[in-house]
Amino acid sequence: MRTGSVIFLLLGFFQGSGQSGNYFLSHHSPHGEQFDNVCFDILQGGDGMLYVATRSGIQQFDGRSWTLIQGSGAVYSLEMTPQGEILWSGTSGFGIVEKLPDRSLKLTRVSGEGISDIFESQGSGSKMFFLAEKAVSIYDTEQCKSFIIPATTLTGSFTGICEIFGSVYVNTTLSGVVRIENDKLVRAPLGLAGQDEIIFASGSGQRFLIGLSDSRILLCSENLKLREIKLADSAYIQASVVVNGSWVKEDLFVLGTLRGGMIFIDAETGKTEEIINYSTGLPDNEIYTLLVDQDRCIWAAHEYGFTRVAPDLPYRSFGHYPGLSGNLLCAISFKNSVYVGTSLGLFKLTREDLYDELTFYVDVALRPAQRGDKKTTAPDGGNKTAAPIEQAVESRKKGFLRFFRKKDKPEQTESTRTSPLKTPDVDQTSAAPLQYRKAKKIEKVLRASQYVYKKVDGIDAKVTQLLEMDGRLIAGGLGGIYEVSGAGGKAILEEPVRMAYASGSMNKLFISTYANEVRVFARGARGWSALPMLNNLDDQITGIFEGINNELWLCALDKAYRLEIADNAVREMQHLEIDNPNFSEVIGVRWRDDIVMAHAQGFFVFDRAMGVLTPMDSLPKPSQYFAGEGNILYNDAHSWRLFGMAHKTNLQLLKLLSNVRFIKQDQISDNLWVITGNNELYKFFGDRFRVQEEGFSLVLKAIRGGEGKKNKRNIFEFDQEKSALTFEVVQPDYLAAQAIEYRYLLNGLDKEWTDWSVNSHTIAFPYLPAGDYTLRVQSRDIFGMLVELEALPFEVVPPYWKRPWFYALEFFLFAAFVLLSFRLSTRYRIISRILSLLTIIMLIQFIQTVIGETFETRASPVMDFFVQVTVAFMILPVEGYLRNLMLRSLDSHSGLYRFLSPKTSVTPEGKEPEQ
């Protein structure tokens, strides 16, 4: 159980700066036939698993894979009992999610006959309340009994249910909000108006957050006093239509809307902290339902799957602000501004007011002239048609579930209807009930003073590098090298540039070009001027850094150049060979007084005494590596590590991102700019957080391949003929599930643990010999924390012909054949000999089987075959001895014959008397 799964202690929060970025989002969805884009409810179980109610049943999600638990109809709602059982409700009633012996799950119905179309549920203590349009079914989980409260003519239909401070409240069409008390419906003490309808209620400590159907948000204290929260962006929220909401933490709550995505609001001030919608990375603005999980992250269901929002992660997204285009290549923070280089040029993040155009429909009253095309007389004697009167009543869907449960007809923009009010509005001129039509309306709503990207003038080619030199911003790429000032750029060198290095100590700019030249520039009073320092160097330089005492290092693909520079001239140049068979990019840094270089084959340190680069065998080969600010940040396929002089940060959180292709560290902090392969730009605030996490327990999710059953010792038992077993284990994780590594040990077969692997959560054994086994599994998350599965003992039993009782049966059968052969030896010698030979064959086979089982290698069937052949050769002399012994024993004068034969008398002539 996760007790405080991800806790971040802030040393300064994102809102302290203007360009704070957007919350970290991750997207999940089932694939193939399992995908159902309609979600009604989400629940997190005690084991950490997510359960999603859909039209096809329940989807179970562990962070890695989806499993569909099919039912007999759509599932609309999920609840968890105090005992940890999951209850479901839907078109076929309600029931429990039952776990079978093989760890698979099944939907079992417990509701009585006639109970169906349950569209919402709510738990309160040991009682579960299931809401249908005409009845509330109450199920006691302790007594396993249920009873029904029917709707009446006073209440009308039921439309919603919620729990506030232990009491259950129900929305009705005629009586407003009522409370269930002592299994009866009574008037609610909340002081709401008759037309008010509660669409969600979420508790946190000593207060509840309540959302009403008119998008008002209330705070409810323990004494049931209500206080409306004054929302700073009420116009945007009203137009977006709130359909659900929940607390995120003490002073922050989230609203899910029909048209505006998710809105995060400070509960004390009503200020909008964040808006997550299509423009900030949300696939769709229509939110079906919300869940705040045990990590205080928000799951939002929409048409394209599920999006998880992590407000407390030390990541902020900067790639979804409007105006940014092209493939993202580099980024930098410069003078409180953000610059991003892309394949189309350079962009700067600037502040700008943003508006959202929201479309909705209002009810417009029609006057008699419009209903019947009648003309009215104008004051001037002419005729004109009366103009429509706009009413304040807005026709809005109140959420995705409500659309299904009320079974309304689809809305039409030009349809007419009678007013749904109890007392119809009346046209004062004609005394006839007013009629309405739906009219489309568009409002331009100021969302916030947001940030947008503006293209920097003068830079129209690909920008691959951004660096700072003496308080100036330098941009380099295919168009050349530019000095950026504000929203414009001025060229320093106009030819394609591979990379550049700015030396503050030397006050020089070193530029490696695509012509395999290294150009040097210095800035003086008259601007930038070229220096003829390295005009004769002809090589593909991929890395430049400084050493000690005016030492400059240039990294090529197969060699390194060590330069000593003084008085704007190269005093000495040294060539060093680099073993780089794959010609991967070479980078280097100064670490204390040592020079360290790295490429895909490993790390190397410069031996000044020998004048060579020597491998550092203590470090692994990096799969990814980046240099900057005196550090080498690298990934060894298991974790991210930092080699250099900077302080340690929460580098393991980089495993949340896949296919990292750019990392740059801020010069004055441990913050990182990160660009991923899917063109996302993040800022990682590694210097502002301390991360602690306790993961969920490791879960045995499924056992496949064998028909296991529990024996008298209460352990699983499998037949050897069906011993191809697969165990699927998982540690539920939604932070970095794909980065969790697993290993296992099968006692009884192996003696050592397997290597750590992200794929070892599925453990397959194609063949297991008979015997007793114990499976042990461990997992390791991105922080290195180990979790071990409870040891799973099981037994593989041999086929019946290899079991002790069958061996005993064979022994007694051999003995019976021996006795029978001696009994028949006098009168039926041929039959007796055949029985004797058959007994010998069976006895030899019995001995061979016993020895073969004793010396079975359990390595492979091929090795066992050779062992059996060796045993056969070993017992061959035994077979010959037994054959001779038994055939000689058939002699009627032998002692063995007389011992085994029945007692008879012998005549003096040596013949037996006639019987």
Side-chain angles (χ1 to χ4, degrees), residues 28-49:
H28 312 269
S29 65
H31 300 287
E33 296 180 355
Q34 289 190 346
F35 180 70
D36 190 331
N37 63 351
V38 178
C39 168
F40 302 102
D41 197 9
I42 312 177
L43 174 72
Q44 187 171 28
D47 55 2
M49 299 279 194

Side-chain angles (χ1 to χ4, degrees), residues 577-742:
E577 296 297 327
I578 298 178
D579 183 16
N580 187 16
N582 297 330
F583 293 105
S584 57
E585 182 180 356
V586 180
I587 61 174
V589 295
R590 172 190 170 184
W591 181 63
R592 298 174 183 171
D593 288 336
D594 290 325
I595 302 301
V596 177
M597 295 186 184
H599 56 72
Q601 299 303 313
F603 289 82
F604 303 84
V605 62
F606 177 54
D607 188 335
R608 292 187 179 274
M610 301 294 296
V612 295
L613 292 169
T614 59
M616 302 178 68
D617 297 332
S618 60
L619 295 177
K621 295 181 180 180
S623 58
Q624 291 177 294
Y625 49 96
F626 303 90
E629 304 303 325
N631 307 308
I632 295 180
L633 184 63
Y634 67 96
N635 186 355
D636 63 359
H638 290 284
S639 61
W640 283 93
R641 303 176 185 273
L642 186 67
F643 182 94
M645 297 181 291
H647 297 290
K648 292 183 178 179
T649 57
N650 300 316
L651 292 179
Q652 301 312 319
L653 287 174
L654 289 176
K655 297 185 73 174
L656 297 179
L657 309 179
S658 59
N659 191 19
V660 175
R661 53 189 178 90
F662 171 84
I663 294 180
K664 181 177 177 60
Q665 182 178 345
D666 279 351
Q667 291 185 340
I668 60 175
S669 68
D670 286 342
N671 299 335
L672 302 174
W673 285 103
V674 185
I675 298 177
T676 64
N678 57 353
N679 217 35
E680 291 282 356
L681 172 63
Y682 298 101
K683 191 170 186 180
F684 174 62
F685 292 83
D687 63 342
R688 298 191 177 188
F689 293 89
R690 178 164 55 88
V691 180
Q692 298 174 347
E693 175 174 319
E694 292 184 14
F696 291 108
S697 299
L698 202 55
V699 177
L700 177 61
K701 192 174 180 181
I703 303 175
R704 296 189 296 269
E707 297 178 359
K709 58 182 180 180
K710 289 191 175 182
N711 56 20
K712 296 180 179 179
R713 294 183 294 168
N714 199 32
I715 65 173
F716 278 101
E717 186 177 277
F718 302 93
D719 290 334
Q720 185 180 8
E721 291 181 314
K722 300 178 180 179
S723 64
L725 301 177
T726 299
F727 299 87
E728 184 179 353
V729 299
V730 68
Q731 181 183 356
D733 187 275
Y734 310 99
L735 188 65
Q738 301 300 326
I740 291 183
E741 297 178 314
Y742 299 84

Side-chain angles (χ1 to χ4, degrees), residues 30 38 78 85 93 132 174 176 190 193 196 219 234 412 501 507 523 614 624 713 728 744 894:
V38 178
L78 299 169
E85 282 188 321
L174 299 181
L190 293 176
D196 288 335
L219 279 179
S234 58
Q412 299 178 8
Y501 175 76
N507 193 28
R523 182 175 176 83
T614 59
Q624 291 177 294
R713 294 183 294 168
E728 184 179 353
Y744 63 88
S894 67

Side-chain angles (χ1 to χ4, degrees), residues 346 454-460 482-490:
L346 182 63
K454 298 290 187 180
K455 195 170 185 299
V456 175
D457 295 333
I459 305 178
D460 298 320
Y482 300 86
E483 179 181 341
V484 181
S485 177
K490 183 179 179 181

Side-chain angles (χ1 to χ4, degrees), residues 26-69:
S26 57
H27 307 288
H28 312 269
S29 65
H31 300 287
E33 296 180 355
Q34 289 190 346
F35 180 70
D36 190 331
N37 63 351
V38 178
C39 168
F40 302 102
D41 197 9
I42 312 177
L43 174 72
Q44 187 171 28
D47 55 2
M49 299 279 194
L50 287 185
Y51 299 86
V52 180
T54 71
R55 292 179 298 192
S56 303
I58 297 177
Q59 293 276 6
Q60 183 193 55
F61 184 50
D62 55 36
R64 297 179 67 101
S65 60
W66 295 84
T67 303
L68 177 61
I69 311 170

Side-chain angles (χ1 to χ4, degrees), residues 546-561:
E546 291 183 67
I548 60 175
N549 300 327
N550 291 326
E551 189 179 61
L552 187 70
W553 287 83
L554 309 179
C555 301
L557 294 180
D558 57 354
K559 63 176 66 72
Y561 300 89

Side-chain angles (χ1 to χ4, degrees), residues 465-485:
Q465 189 178 9
L466 294 168
L467 59 152
E468 184 179 355
M469 178 179 177
D470 294 333
R472 295 178 175 87
L473 179 62
I474 308 298
L478 294 184
I481 285 286
Y482 300 86
E483 179 181 341
V484 181
S485 177

Side-chain angles (χ1 to χ4, degrees), residues 445-521:
V445 179
L446 174 64
R447 186 177 70 187
S449 292
Q450 273 284 7
Y451 285 87
V452 297
Y453 281 101
K454 298 290 187 180
K455 195 170 185 299
V456 175
D457 295 333
I459 305 178
D460 298 320
K462 178 189 291 186
V463 175
T464 58
Q465 189 178 9
L466 294 168
L467 59 152
E468 184 179 355
M469 178 179 177
D470 294 333
R472 295 178 175 87
L473 179 62
I474 308 298
L478 294 184
I481 285 286
Y482 300 86
E483 179 181 341
V484 181
S485 177
K490 183 179 179 181
I492 301 173
L493 174 66
E494 293 185 297
E495 63 177 279
V497 169
R498 180 174 284 115
M499 64 89 56
Y501 175 76
S503 172
S505 61
M506 299 181 186
N507 193 28
K508 293 177 180 61
L509 182 63
F510 297 90
I511 304 169
S512 170
T513 70
Y514 274 82
N516 291 343
E517 297 176 340
V518 176
R519 309 287 294 273
V520 184
F521 286 82

